Amino acid sequence: MPNGPNSAGVSRKGRSRNLELRMLLQALQYYQSDANGDNFQKIPNHLLTTGRMENLKTLLVANRGEIATRILKTAKRLRLRTNAIYTEADAASSHVTQADNSVLLLGPDARAYLDGDQIIRIAKENNVDAIIPGYGFLSENAEFAKAVISSSIVWVGPSPESINDFGLKHVARALAVKAHVPVVPGTDELLTDKGHAVEESKRLGFPVILKAMAGGGGLGLAACKNVDEVRGSFDTVKSRGENLFKDAGIFIERFYPNSHHIEVQVFGNGQGDAIHFGERECSIQRRHQKVIEECPSPFITKFPDLREKLCTSAIRLAESIKYGSAGTIEYLVDDESGDFFFLEMNTRLQVEHGVTELCYDIDLVELMLRQADAQSGGRSGLAAQDLKKLQPNGPRGSAIEARIYAENPARDYSPSPGTLQIVEWEESNARIDTWVKTGTVVSSLYDPLLAKVMFHSPSRDGSIADMQNFLRNSRICGPPTNLEFLACILEDPEYKKGRTMTNFLDNFEYSPNAIDVISGGAHTTIQDWPGRPTMGRGFPQAGPMDPLAFRIANLLVGNPPGKEGLEITLEGPELHFLGHAVIALCGAPMEIYVDGKSIPMWTKTHIASNQKLKIGKCTGGGCRSYLGVFGGFSNVTEWFGSKATSSGVGVGGYQGRALRAGDYLATSNALPNGYRNSRSLAPHLVPEYPSHWDILGMVGPYEDDYLLEEDVEMIYRTKWQISHNAARGGIRLIGPRPKWARDDGGEGGAHPSNLIEYGYPVGALNWTGDDPCIFPADCPDLGGFVSSTTIIKADFWKMGQMKAGDTMQFHRTSLEDALALRKKVDEFVDEIARECSQHGSFDGIVPLNYSTLPPSALAGGYGKAVVYEIQAKDDQPLTRYRQGGDDYLLVEYGDGNLDLNHRCRVTALMKSLKGSNGDISFSSGLINTVGCCCSLLISYDGSKLPQKKLVAHLVALEAQLGDLSSTKVPSRLFKLPITFESSRQTAAIQRYMETQRPYASYLPDNMEFVAKNNGLTRKELEELFLTSKLIAISVGFFAALPLCLPVDPRQRINCPKMNPSRTFTPEGQVSWGGSCMGLYNIESPGGYQLIGLSIPGVDILGSKTGYTLDRPWLFEDFDQLTFYKVEEEEYERQLALFHSGRYEYQWEEVTFDMAEHNDLLARTKAEVAQIRQTQKESQKAMNKVEKALMDQWTEEKAKAKIPVDKVDALLNDPSITPISSPLNANVWKILSREGDILEVGDQALLLEAMKMEISVPADEGGKVEKVLVRPNDSVEAGDPLLLLRNKAS
């Protein structure tokens, strides 16, 4: 779908009508009819022409958001050079890309748009002729206007004197009286105190309204019905005026509850001449902020002379003060009598100016610029005769505007910041003034207005119908919006009748079907099944960790088994249901309450409107439960066909993250028949959740020749303990270490666990060094460590329920037994689905067998990792077919050395598979592939496609590939900046040293280490990076990271990865590990050594230049990356361009010639051998240094532990109370020091377990006597963390 940098979003059927084109057509209307409509006169001089301004050439828009984009459209049509300003929070805003020049504001983002001095400085530096402020921020700041004018820059707006006079309400009131404009009965002077306020309110009669003298935008107001409310509100209004507007003055007026807010658009030339462009109805307001506006007012038709009276009064007031530019006179109009009273004058462009433009065929921004152009030319403004000829007779048709906000209706419409995962406008003839698109991040720092949508039709009914259709069929997913709220207003009978008074929303009932998230729990994410098994490229498969309980929860509530639901880990959320719903909680036993009353799990339950559901902690074995909700969550969008969350890479689900307080989930308002009837799964069918797990796995993909026989037996003999590091991305195990069958990993790395990168099967037991880790749903899709065993799919649900502190044991099984068990699980789910759909009994369903191992696990016969092998011959390399569980097959070429010839073969095999038809194709059995330099991992549905049949097909394809040594491969040659010295990289290394490991052979300078490890100087290493062509041999691992190998073998270097690996890597990090370079596209964990920083190659939602929603990655296999050196300042400039969506990558299409490459390999063979020998000697010396430092660090950590006898002595002291760990975890932060006083509930420490932050409070008060742990220590459940001495002692 098209979504370019200037588009408002994605249209379902096409783009909305182009506002700029419409304005151009308006501007071409040089002629205006006379009173009879028969003759036309040409408008004299320069008004409303499309040519350049006479004097103004450059313009700075001192604003942001939709008003900035709206102004820019007119300015660019008038061929003005445009300048925008922006903050880091607004870097990706549309106005930044639409301007000819955009400048980043310095200082705090929250105040930057108010920094008048900086804005004027930017204007001077860019030779700006005029500044236009829009509305808000500095638009009605008289001092800023004066400063602009004093700097010899044209101020596009009224005079500072007008701004100042009408900014003070009592002065504005006096001016209105002087111009014979009716005013609301009220005080002529400021109130002195509460007594004065009470006295005046009695004189005026209740109700009254207290107003801050300098207030605006609905702020600093309080309606009062009696004396007590006047007294109670006085201090609040005074405080708001003082804090928000620097003026504590207050006055009081009579309040008319049954009234209309109607305003008149005026324009003056600053010489005592003014015209009007009719009225706007702005009565539908919430907290004095307008929600829906109309032109003309539907109320005006009740009083035929009212429009003339309103507009004549408005002109009289504007002309009395010689007002110049656009302005708005606001009136309060009594609903019964039609009497009207002056409220205030806005000395700026109004938010709702667009409806006037539509009904009067005028561009108010252009008119403001024409007025400023005239002033710049030495005139006071537009000529009177020219201005008066623009006075219209009346409106044409009806226009309605709806303001679309990111706001939460469940939280009193509070602003809701976050990422807009989809912006999809319904195709229509709407005018959409917006600054957002898919991928925009809405900041909490600014107004949450996303867009103003306007419809113009011959009739009001037509505009209402168009707007209703638009609001109902447009989609914005991410933070909640008011789209549905606005649609409900337009559907209200009173609104359709035109009865839109200022109290309209006081009696308007809006009851959305949704969930207000009161608290998110420990880690609650949206998942669906099966997630994204076809995605790859370093984006996890995702989906539920326990697909069994997940599917049953959906079936119980009447959903399809794969419908999105909530995955709840360890401790659940609290949810407020705003409408009726049907839910079921299935999985590990957890506390569950509705309005404080316990309800059963595994049960379909009706939740009534306004009830609260609280899911507490796990109360037994297992760690995850699943909340099925009928209909799912309609405001959560799909990303590549799935709503599943992968929070590690920030994709899917609710804004790519776990739920938290204030989130909003839209639910179905159409519940199934019998939704109030409860229904429970039979108890004998509920799965068992023990603390010890027997897990079945198939050998492979790597076992023989990598692990000793005793290592293999150790894997299956050991009762492994689940580490605190057990999460969706990896489940680390605690137990013995293997001895390994080899000394190193060859070109894969220095450690025997290292391999040349290959695709990882989900469920693999992976050896990251000597440490075992199971790879579940969110694991990386490729890497360079041995995987010895793969859990079978039938046991995935068990894998997903193992928690820190549990134990588990692997048992080998055969492919045949794996498929048989998988069939039993699927049939079990199918039987439950059938009974749920037919409302039958569960009693006849046979439960799953959890205790009996399959025959192959007891008697052997579980097979080998390598299921087939083709020996090397002529142009056929050694080819092995390795199994990875019952759904993966790894095709491996060669003997473990990096060879681009193998990469060509991988590519050719991938192409053949994609072209396959029939029984073995991506439409029948095949799911996905992961290609690396020497291997291709094939994911397939083992229940549909037999492994032997797939292997036979692959062997047949292999015979057809032939000799590829002279292949020419399409490639792209990229030229990227790199800075070797940067504060970001330094901070990342410092963070590692402070939180993970204080010293190592590679610390504090990774680059120095990599140079020494290869017998190079730092300068030589830098030169290597600047002269190499690095070819992408795979794209994946983590968020489409390009894994690259130098094309020239003489430039290939080698180094070990960090040990332990980092928890944080900056985006754009250029790094080296093993024999390859990696470019980290997003902030992430990682182990490669840090070399420099470049521009990332991923944009998750595809909104930046060079990306699309369906292709959010940049790099492809066989792309070649080159680097040129820049200093940090230049790098930061280019990175800022990337963040704003304006960075343009430099690349050209080239061809990679394998014949030339093979010739290079042959010519440099002897030279390369000598280089490798030098590298080997250097690496041997560095390995010795690293071993000594590692031993030293290990010894220091052991010595730092407090002696057991000292801890025991303190624990035996009756005045000492320990604060203990609630679970197996890692110490993240210690919040208390020895000597601190803690009260009950004070947070003492933060632990990290299963990728979640666990707060540990003090259950009793006291003085911290001893801290027993340090950051990064591993602790078990019940271990004392710190000791408190009781206050009494």
Side-chain angles (χ1 to χ4, degrees):
M1 291 180 287
N3 192 18
N6 294 321
S7 64
V10 179
S11 173
R12 295 181 180 181
K13 304 172 185 173
R15 293 190 182 276
S16 298
R17 184 171 62 182
N18 188 300
L19 173 61
E20 184 174 336
L21 177 60
R22 194 187 66 78
M23 289 183 169
L24 179 60
L25 292 173
Q26 290 173 6
L28 291 173
Q29 295 174 353
Y30 290 95
Y31 299 93
Q32 183 178 22
S33 68
D34 63 11
N36 297 321
D38 297 323
N39 302 312
F40 293 85
Q41 289 181 314
K42 183 140 186 305
I43 299 176
N45 64 51
H46 54 278
L47 281 181
L48 294 181
T49 68
T50 56
R52 292 181 183 275
M53 294 285 180
E54 290 184 359
N55 304 292
L56 302 184
K57 306 301 178 186
T58 61
L59 179 72
L60 186 146
V61 181
N63 216 304
R64 62 172 298 279
E66 57 80 25
I67 186 58
T69 65
R70 188 269 167 266
I71 291 171
L72 286 168
K73 287 177 180 177
T74 291
K76 292 178 79 68
R77 175 172 59 77
L78 296 173
R79 290 183 284 178
L80 291 172
R81 175 171 170 77
T82 54
N83 294 266
I85 53 175
Y86 69 99
T87 61
E88 287 191 2
D90 265 347
S93 172
S94 295
H95 81 280
V96 179
T97 58
Q98 289 172 2
D100 297 312
N101 178 51
S102 295
V103 182
L104 177 66
L105 292 166
L106 304 178
D109 284 4
R111 301 287 301 170
Y113 289 110
L114 297 171
D115 188 346
D117 292 340
Q118 181 179 187
I119 293 170
I120 291 173
R121 177 179 57 76
I122 290 171
K124 289 180 177 179
E125 290 174 353
N126 289 276
N127 300 314
V128 165
D129 295 325
I131 292 177
I132 184 168
Y135 56 75
F137 293 121
L138 296 169
S139 63
E140 292 181 287
N141 186 309
E143 293 304 314
F144 177 63
K146 288 179 184 177
V148 169
I149 295 168
S150 298
S151 300
S152 300
I153 299 172
V154 177
W155 170 252
V156 184
S159 68
E161 294 75 20
S162 294
I163 295 173
N164 187 68
D165 287 346
F166 282 97
L168 301 173
K169 287 187 171 57
H170 69 295
V171 175
R173 180 184 174 89
L175 290 172
V177 170
K178 185 177 180 181
H180 305 292
V181 177
V183 297
V184 178
T187 56
D188 294 325
E189 302 294 335
L190 297 180
L191 301 173
T192 56
D193 53 32
K194 290 182 183 178
H196 189 194
V198 169
E199 179 183 333
E200 290 295 331
S201 64
K202 289 180 178 178
R203 179 181 66 83
L204 293 170
F206 289 100
V208 295
I209 187 165
L210 289 171
K211 291 187 175 183
M213 181 181 72
L219 301 174
L221 301 176
C224 306
K225 296 190 293 290
N226 52 52
V227 168
D228 290 340
E229 290 186 1
V230 171
R231 289 196 180 100
S233 301
F234 186 88
D235 289 337
T236 300
V237 174
K238 182 177 181 180
S239 175
R240 285 181 179 172
E242 192 167 22
N243 293 331
L244 297 175
F245 310 108
K246 310 303 179 188
D247 195 321
I250 301 177
F251 67 101
I252 194 167
E253 289 179 343
R254 179 73 185 273
F255 180 53
Y256 292 84
N258 295 321
S259 58
H260 296 261
H261 183 118
I262 298 177
E263 60 189 30
V264 173
Q265 178 69 58
V266 297
F267 197 95
N269 65 358
Q271 304 166 66
D273 303 294
I275 61 174
H276 73 82
F277 293 98
E279 84 286 348
R280 295 185 288 258
E281 174 85 37
C282 305
S283 299
I284 298 182
Q285 302 180 10
R286 187 179 57 244
R287 293 190 290 269
H288 303 287
Q289 290 280 359
K290 300 162 190 172
V291 176
I292 291 176
E293 300 99 344
E294 299 187 48
C295 178
S297 165
F299 174 75
I300 291 292
T301 58
K302 289 174 59 176
F303 298 91
D305 299 330
L306 186 53
R307 175 177 294 134
E308 182 180 354
K309 292 178 181 178
L310 291 171
C311 296
T312 301
S313 294
I315 290 177
R316 191 162 59 244
L317 178 57
E319 291 183 338
S320 71
I321 61 163
K322 296 185 178 180
Y323 188 81
S325 197
T328 301
I329 314 295
E330 298 190 348
Y331 294 105
L332 186 72
V333 184
D334 184 64
D335 184 64
E336 294 183 8
S337 65
D339 292 342
F340 63 93
F341 309 100
F342 170 81
L343 285 176
E344 62 181 356
M345 182 174 188
N346 295 126
T347 53
R348 54 170 167 79
L349 195 65
Q350 288 282 82
V351 178
E352 59 274 14
H353 71 278
V355 289
T356 296
E357 292 183 322
L358 292 172
C359 284
Y360 287 90
D361 283 327
I362 188 69
D363 184 337
L364 291 170
V365 172
E366 179 178 348
L367 207 52
M368 292 176 71
L369 291 169
R370 296 291 182 192
Q371 169 73 8
D373 188 56
Q375 292 171 336
S376 177
R379 303 188 298 275
S380 298
L382 296 171
Q385 65 272 23
D386 294 339
L387 182 65
K388 291 295 184 179
K389 287 181 180 179
L390 293 176
Q391 176 62 63
N393 294 324
R396 180 179 61 86
S398 171
I400 298 176
E401 173 180 282
R403 301 190 191 188
I404 298 175
Y405 285 97
E407 59 185 17
N408 191 338
R411 299 288 178 107
D412 197 22
Y413 301 91
S414 61
S416 295
T419 301
L420 301 180
Q421 294 168 289
I422 194 74
V423 177
E424 191 174 81
W425 303 121
E426 172 71 356
E427 184 200 0
S428 64
N429 63 346
R431 166 175 161 177
I432 306 172
D433 289 1
T434 186
W435 63 281
V436 304
K437 56 185 179 293
T438 295
T440 296
V441 177
V442 181
S443 171
S444 61
L445 300 175
Y446 311 119
D447 186 279
L449 179 63
L450 305 179
K452 299 179 317 193
V453 177
M454 289 158 270
F455 278 93
H456 182 220
S457 299
S459 68
R460 183 172 184 266
D461 288 344
S463 293
I464 291 174
D466 287 344
M467 184 69 80
Q468 285 176 328
N469 182 65
F470 180 91
L471 296 172
R472 286 296 185 191
N473 292 295
S474 294
R475 289 181 68 223
I476 301 176
C477 294
T481 71
N482 65 338
L483 273 174
E484 185 183 43
F485 172 70
L486 293 169
C488 289
I489 291 175
L490 268 72
E491 292 165 2
D492 185 89
E494 290 297 297
Y495 176 80
K496 290 184 175 181
K497 294 175 185 176
R499 294 192 52 76
T500 55
M501 289 180 286
T502 54
N503 59 1
F504 179 89
L505 293 181
D506 294 346
N507 304 311
F508 179 73
E509 293 185 6
Y510 172 60
S511 301
N513 276 79
I515 296 172
D516 174 29
V517 179
I518 298 173
S519 65
H523 190 78
T524 303
T525 59
I526 292 169
Q527 300 295 338
D528 60 17
W529 177 81
R532 299 181 190 85
T534 64
M535 180 60 190
R537 296 184 180 274
F539 295 102
Q541 176 175 315
M545 287 283 281
D546 175 356
L548 179 60
F550 179 87
R551 287 182 285 173
I552 294 174
N554 266 324
L555 293 171
L556 284 172
V557 301
N559 283 337
K563 192 70 174 177
E564 68 270 11
L566 299 184
E567 178 177 89
I568 299 159
T569 305
L570 290 179
E571 184 175 2
E574 184 173 4
L575 309 173
H576 179 200
F577 285 76
L578 306 181
H580 292 268
V582 177
I583 63 103
L585 183 70
C586 299
M590 288 185 171
E591 304 162 334
I592 177 171
Y593 305 94
V594 175
D595 288 347
K597 182 180 178 181
S598 178
I599 64 169
M601 293 183 61
W602 302 91
T603 300
K604 170 193 168 187
T605 303
H606 166 238
I607 304 293
S609 177
N610 209 35
Q611 284 193 311
K612 292 180 181 178
L613 175 73
K614 182 171 177 55
I615 301 171
K617 296 180 180 180
C618 281
T619 58
C623 61
R624 292 181 175 88
S625 281
Y626 296 88
L627 186 71
V629 179
F630 177 79
F633 312 115
S634 60
N635 66 325
V636 176
T637 191
E638 291 184 349
W639 191 77
F640 282 87
S642 170
K643 295 185 179 183
T645 310
S646 288
S647 54
V649 291
V651 302
Y654 195 92
Q655 299 183 56
R657 57 167 172 78
L659 295 184
R660 57 190 183 215
D663 288 347
Y664 181 90
L665 300 172
T667 57
S668 175
N669 58 4
L671 298 183
N673 293 330
Y675 68 88
R676 295 180 184 272
N677 300 330
S678 179
R679 178 177 173 84
S680 297
L681 188 71
H684 73 285
L685 300 180
V686 174
E688 298 173 3
Y689 298 94
S691 58
H692 173 79
W693 302 85
D694 290 301
I695 303 292
L696 295 170
M698 291 170 56
V699 296
Y702 289 99
E703 185 181 87
D704 300 339
D705 301 329
Y706 296 90
L707 293 162
L708 295 170
E709 182 61 32
E710 62 183 281
D711 295 333
V712 174
E713 293 306 314
M714 173 270 292
I715 291 172
Y716 301 101
R717 184 179 63 248
T718 300
K719 283 191 175 181
W720 299 94
Q721 183 180 5
I722 309 302
S723 163
H724 69 276
N725 268 325
R728 289 182 56 87
I731 302 170
R732 291 202 173 271
L733 306 179
I734 301 171
R737 295 186 170 193
K739 297 178 180 178
W740 298 103
R742 56 186 191 158
D743 295 329
D744 58 46
E747 292 192 10
H751 195 273
S753 67
N754 295 157
L755 288 170
I756 293 172
E757 278 73 8
Y758 67 98
Y760 285 151
V762 175
L765 173 62
N766 188 263
W767 295 89
T768 55
D770 296 324
D771 299 320
C773 180
I774 297 171
F775 279 163
D778 279 0
C779 69
D781 66 344
L782 64 87
F785 292 103
V786 165
S787 296
S788 60
T789 305
T790 306
I791 296 172
I792 66 172
K793 200 155 189 179
D795 276 3
F796 272 19
W797 73 271
K798 297 181 183 179
M799 173 177 66
Q801 290 292 355
M802 296 189 300
K803 68 181 175 185
D806 284 358
T807 58
M808 62 84 64
Q809 186 170 358
F810 287 104
H811 301 276
R812 283 169 285 197
T813 191
S814 66
L815 173 63
E816 292 73 21
D817 284 344
L819 293 173
L821 289 168
R822 175 173 169 179
K823 184 178 180 182
K824 287 183 179 179
V825 172
D826 290 343
E827 288 176 345
F828 176 70
V829 175
D830 289 344
E831 288 181 27
I832 292 174
R834 183 173 59 253
E835 298 303 332
C836 285
S837 64
Q838 297 175 359
H839 305 288
S841 171
F842 296 121
D843 294 341
I845 300 176
V846 178
L848 293 174
N849 186 336
Y850 305 106
S851 57
T852 304
L853 295 175
S856 58
L858 298 171
Y862 36 74
K864 295 284 188 179
V866 178
V867 297
Y868 194 81
E869 184 173 291
I870 302 174
Q871 294 299 316
K873 184 180 180 181
D874 299 329
D875 56 17
Q876 171 67 55
L878 173 65
T879 307
R880 293 188 177 96
Y881 299 87
R882 299 177 176 275
Q883 67 179 9
D886 44 338
D887 268 359
Y888 294 92
L889 193 70
L890 182 69
V891 183
E892 180 189 54
Y893 294 117
D895 54 4
N897 292 322
L898 289 162
D899 189 338
L900 291 179
N901 288 281
H902 298 334
R903 176 65 250 202
C904 281
R905 205 161 193 87
V906 168
T907 301
L909 181 57
M910 289 172 64
K911 186 176 180 180
S912 295
L913 286 172
K914 288 179 180 177
S916 295
N917 296 309
D919 294 343
I920 302 177
S921 66
F922 283 98
S923 60
S924 178
L926 298 181
I927 296 174
N928 199 17
T929 60
V930 178
C932 293
C933 186
C934 302
S935 63
L936 179 68
L937 179 71
I938 301 170
S939 167
Y940 67 102
D941 186 344
S943 66
K944 296 179 180 178
L945 178 59
Q947 185 193 84
K948 286 184 178 180
K949 186 175 182 180
L950 176 59
V951 171
H953 180 68
L954 292 169
V955 170
L957 289 178
E958 191 65 39
Q960 300 171 18
L961 297 183
D963 182 6
L964 302 175
S965 61
S966 299
T967 299
K968 290 182 170 60
V969 184
S971 176
R972 294 179 299 174
L973 184 63
F974 282 86
K975 185 178 180 182
L976 296 169
I978 188 171
T979 178
F980 296 108
E981 303 286 346
S982 72
S983 55
R984 293 176 190 262
Q985 181 170 297
T986 301
I989 293 176
Q990 187 65 30
R991 176 174 174 174
Y992 178 84
M993 294 173 66
E994 291 174 355
T995 62
Q996 294 185 259
R997 184 174 173 184
Y999 53 83
S1001 57
Y1002 49 81
L1003 295 175
D1005 190 332
N1006 286 186
M1007 194 168 181
E1008 186 72 23
F1009 165 73
V1010 174
K1012 288 182 178 179
N1013 199 63
N1014 290 277
L1016 303 171
T1017 66
R1018 184 187 179 93
K1019 186 175 181 180
E1020 288 172 333
L1021 179 61
E1022 187 174 305
E1023 187 64 20
L1024 185 148
F1025 268 87
L1026 298 176
T1027 57
S1028 293
K1029 289 182 180 178
L1030 297 143
I1031 192 164
I1033 56 175
S1034 188
V1035 177
F1037 174 63
F1038 205 85
L1041 178 149
L1043 197 66
C1044 301
L1045 182 72
V1047 172
D1048 190 333
R1050 294 167 295 183
Q1051 295 178 316
R1052 295 177 187 175
I1053 57 177
N1054 193 286
C1055 71
K1057 305 175 183 76
M1058 288 184 166
N1059 183 18
S1061 59
R1062 294 179 309 279
T1063 58
F1064 172 80
T1065 309
E1067 63 170 343
Q1069 183 68 61
V1070 178
S1071 56
W1072 203 281
S1075 299
C1076 293
M1077 184 278 291
L1079 173 55
Y1080 289 82
N1081 290 318
I1082 64 174
E1083 292 182 356
S1084 60
Y1088 281 21
Q1089 305 290 342
L1090 309 186
I1091 301 298
L1093 287 173
S1094 189
I1095 303 300
V1098 154
D1099 177 30
I1100 296 297
L1101 295 175
S1103 62
K1104 294 181 174 66
T1105 300
Y1107 299 91
T1108 59
L1109 191 58
D1110 57 359
R1111 194 178 179 279
W1113 60 84
L1114 177 67
F1115 302 111
E1116 300 283 0
D1117 296 335
F1118 278 99
D1119 279 348
Q1120 298 176 67
L1121 279 61
T1122 65
F1123 294 105
Y1124 64 94
K1125 185 177 179 180
V1126 296
E1127 298 304 317
E1128 182 177 15
E1129 183 178 355
E1130 172 60 16
Y1131 169 73
E1132 290 293 336
R1133 187 190 71 81
Q1134 295 195 36
L1135 185 64
L1137 286 174
F1138 170 78
H1139 287 156
S1140 69
R1142 295 177 292 154
Y1143 183 81
E1144 295 187 3
Y1145 294 92
Q1146 299 180 49
W1147 60 273
E1148 60 179 310
E1149 293 185 358
V1150 296
T1151 298
F1152 187 76
D1153 191 326
M1154 283 303 303
E1156 291 181 2
H1157 178 68
N1158 286 322
D1159 179 62
L1160 174 66
L1161 295 180
R1163 285 188 288 106
T1164 60
K1165 186 175 181 179
E1167 186 181 355
V1168 169
Q1170 187 173 353
I1171 292 171
R1172 296 292 176 269
Q1173 183 60 36
T1174 301
Q1175 291 173 339
K1176 187 175 181 180
E1177 292 172 1
S1178 299
Q1179 288 159 11
K1180 184 177 180 181
M1182 293 306 294
N1183 289 343
K1184 186 176 180 180
V1185 172
E1186 172 61 13
K1187 185 179 185 306
L1189 292 174
M1190 175 61 83
D1191 290 345
Q1192 179 183 340
W1193 182 47
T1194 304
E1195 183 180 351
E1196 286 180 0
K1197 287 195 295 181
K1199 287 181 179 179
K1201 291 185 177 180
I1202 300 171
V1204 174
D1205 57 346
K1206 185 173 181 180
V1207 175
D1208 288 342
L1210 287 168
L1211 287 172
N1212 290 327
D1213 186 334
S1215 65
I1216 292 292
T1217 300
I1219 296 179
S1220 301
S1221 176
L1223 75 171
N1224 291 36
N1226 193 53
V1227 178
W1228 181 27
K1229 291 181 181 178
I1230 298 171
L1231 306 178
S1232 305
R1233 295 179 296 179
E1234 292 176 7
D1236 286 353
I1237 302 297
L1238 295 182
E1239 302 294 339
V1240 175
D1242 285 352
Q1243 303 305 311
L1245 305 94
L1246 292 177
L1247 305 180
E1248 185 270 330
M1250 303 177 75
K1251 297 295 182 183
M1252 293 177 292
E1253 176 185 322
I1254 310 295
S1255 178
V1256 183
D1259 293 330
E1260 298 183 20
K1263 179 181 178 181
V1264 179
E1265 180 76 12
K1266 199 73 180 174
V1267 178
L1268 305 178
V1269 293
R1270 299 187 307 171
N1272 296 308
D1273 281 356
S1274 294
V1275 294
E1276 295 186 4
D1279 284 354
L1281 305 175
L1282 57 80
L1283 305 178
L1284 290 181
R1285 187 170 296 279
N1286 301 339
K1287 288 182 177 181
S1289 58

